[in-house]
Amino acid sequence: MPFYIGDYLRDTMHLTTEQHGAYLLLLFAYWTNGPLLDDDEYLSSITKLCRPDWQNVRPVMEGFFTIENHFWIQK
């Protein structure tokens, strides 16, 4: 997976440490498996966050994806 540090930091400097971890894990899963199912249990499993913590992080993560036909799509 190509990783462009400057681009990543430009888009993510506002994230907390927890949000950075969640976003990177989502990106890694997306790169490996393609679009992510819009299912909170599945997404919390990918991010290694318990459901309440995932619910707190989800709105921020949604800003990096488009949800189409029940899948998270990334440019």
Side-chain angles (χ1 to χ4, degrees):
M1 175 180 123
F3 189 76
Y4 302 100
I5 295 169
D7 293 340
Y8 177 83
L9 292 176
R10 181 192 63 232
D11 295 341
T12 62
M13 288 303 292
H14 64 286
L15 298 180
T16 66
T17 301
E18 181 177 63
Q19 292 166 347
H20 275 287
Y23 183 45
L24 286 169
L25 290 170
L26 291 170
L27 286 177
F28 298 158
Y30 190 95
W31 180 261
T32 303
N33 302 310
L36 306 171
L37 182 63
D38 185 22
D39 175 84
D40 285 328
E41 185 172 334
Y42 173 70
L43 296 169
S44 69
S45 173
I46 290 171
T47 60
K48 312 302 183 223
L49 294 170
C50 64
R51 289 291 294 277
D53 289 345
W54 165 248
Q55 292 297 2
N56 289 332
V57 168
R58 180 185 168 114
V60 177
M61 297 301 104
E62 286 178 341
F64 295 105
F65 294 84
T66 301
I67 300 173
E68 296 177 9
N69 299 317
H70 306 289
F71 284 94
W72 286 39
I73 309 296
Q74 233 261 343
K75 60 181 177 180

